[in-house]
Amino acid sequence: MGTALITGATSGLGEEFAWQLAARKHDLVLVARRENALHNLAERLHAIAGIRAEVLVADLSTPEGCAAVARRIDAPATTHTPPIGLLVNNAGFGLGKPFPDNDLEAEIKGLDVMVRAVMILSHHAAQTMRARGRGAILNVASVASRTGAGTYSAHKAWVVAFTEGLSEELRGTGVTATAVCPGPVRTAFFENAGVDMDRIPSPLIADAEEVVSETLDALRLGKVLVTPTPVYKAAMAAMKLMPRSLLRKVMRSMPHL
Ligand SMILES: NC(=O)c1ccc[n+]([C@@H]2O[C@H](COP(=O)([O-])OP(=O)(O)OC[C@H]3O[C@@H](n4cnc5c(N)ncnc54)[C@H](OP(=O)(O)O)[C@@H]3O)[C@@H](O)[C@H]2O)c1
């Protein structure tokens, strides 16, 4: 897979993807908004795992931020800009409020980062990887993709449907597309969304390490959809069978993402 570009690399799942890919000797391009955190991570990855980690500061809610990352994906291969073999569209956040109560601006930012940026970066990656005849695109969705609970859930449903379609459109090209649907994971996600994580029973919260490890195994096998951890595999299966009206009722007692 060569060099991997990870969005949202400064914390949580993105940082864990960085460490596990570095342990497998992939060079990295780390993308997020917090410049100091990116440089700090790049230095530690280099010192501990011996890999090369580029820093690309970009706000993916803006056209300029997306364009800067797209330029890196399209960059002609040189020793300073090795080709991107794996794109991990991971950046994202919970909105934490029902749609009618939230600022429209915040809602649009969520759409821009979790849908628009994913579409733009996937388009650049699909074209450049297809031209090279190899590569992989990994999109981070969520079990929320099935819950029909608010715009976060809608964005992640888009990611799943988009990735499934893309995987078919890339069939036979040497490029794969995979969507991962984690359940709740111990990261800064809930705090950033203003959601009290204590409302979720702790056995139902996964560690980033196991989620990422299972995801990378599935990616290597070229799987299209992966739901890490046995409890959320079962939950996804149950949600597929459950009448939508019942699922909506169950979701009323869950924290809003
Ligand atoms: N944690 C969970 O329970 C869970 C479950 C299912 C799916 N997910 C998904 O997993 C992904 C990673 O979330 P996480 O749990 O690791 O949360 P996290 O720890 O809060 O990390 C989110 C990452 O996204 C980056 N980011 C946010 N807004 C951005 C923007 N405008 N431009 C560029 N980067 C931005 C942040 O970096 P900067 O602040 O430095 O920009 C940070 O690195 C998200 O897509 C999330 O929806 C999470």
Side-chain angles (χ1 to χ4, degrees), residues 102-123:
N102 205 2
D103 292 342
L104 186 55
E105 209 172 297
E107 290 286 340
I108 291 170
K109 261 192 183 183
L111 181 81
D112 285 343
V113 173
M114 290 184 277
V115 176
R116 187 175 178 278
V118 173
M119 181 192 281
I120 293 171
L121 302 187
S122 296
H123 194 257

Side-chain angles (χ1 to χ4, degrees), residues 7-15 31-35 37-38 58-62 89-94 109 113-114 140-144 152 156 180-190 192 197:
T7 70
T10 44
S11 87
L13 290 172
E15 182 174 357
V31 179
R33 292 166 302 178
R34 283 172 292 160
E35 188 167 2
L38 284 171
D59 181 345
L60 293 172
S61 70
T62 67
N89 278 310
N90 164 77
F93 52 89
K109 261 192 183 183
V113 173
M114 290 184 277
V140 179
S142 167
V143 290
Y152 177 79
K156 296 305 189 183
V180 56
C181 292
V185 190
R186 230 167 254 106
T187 68
F189 176 89
F190 289 94
N192 290 341
M197 227 183 165

Side-chain angles (χ1 to χ4, degrees), residues 36-153:
N36 288 347
L38 284 171
H39 281 294
N40 184 286
L41 177 62
E43 279 160 27
R44 285 185 292 131
L45 285 162
H46 179 65
I48 295 167
I51 57 109
R52 184 172 170 270
E54 292 170 46
V55 163
L56 206 173
V57 181
D59 181 345
L60 293 172
S61 70
T62 67
E64 304 75 37
C66 288
V69 183
R71 272 197 302 279
R72 178 59 187 88
I73 293 170
D74 292 344
T78 69
T79 45
H80 294 297
T81 54
I84 304 302
L86 168 65
L87 166 66
V88 185
N89 278 310
N90 164 77
F93 52 89
L95 295 150
K97 281 183 188 168
F99 178 71
D101 300 340
N102 205 2
D103 292 342
L104 186 55
E105 209 172 297
E107 290 286 340
I108 291 170
K109 261 192 183 183
L111 181 81
D112 285 343
V113 173
M114 290 184 277
V115 176
R116 187 175 178 278
V118 173
M119 181 192 281
I120 293 171
L121 302 187
S122 296
H123 194 257
H124 284 264
Q127 291 200 333
T128 57
M129 289 173 184
R130 187 177 59 180
R132 284 200 302 274
R134 62 179 186 281
I137 297 170
L138 172 61
N139 293 330
V140 179
S142 167
V143 290
S145 60
R146 281 210 71 85
T147 59
T151 41
Y152 177 79
S153 167

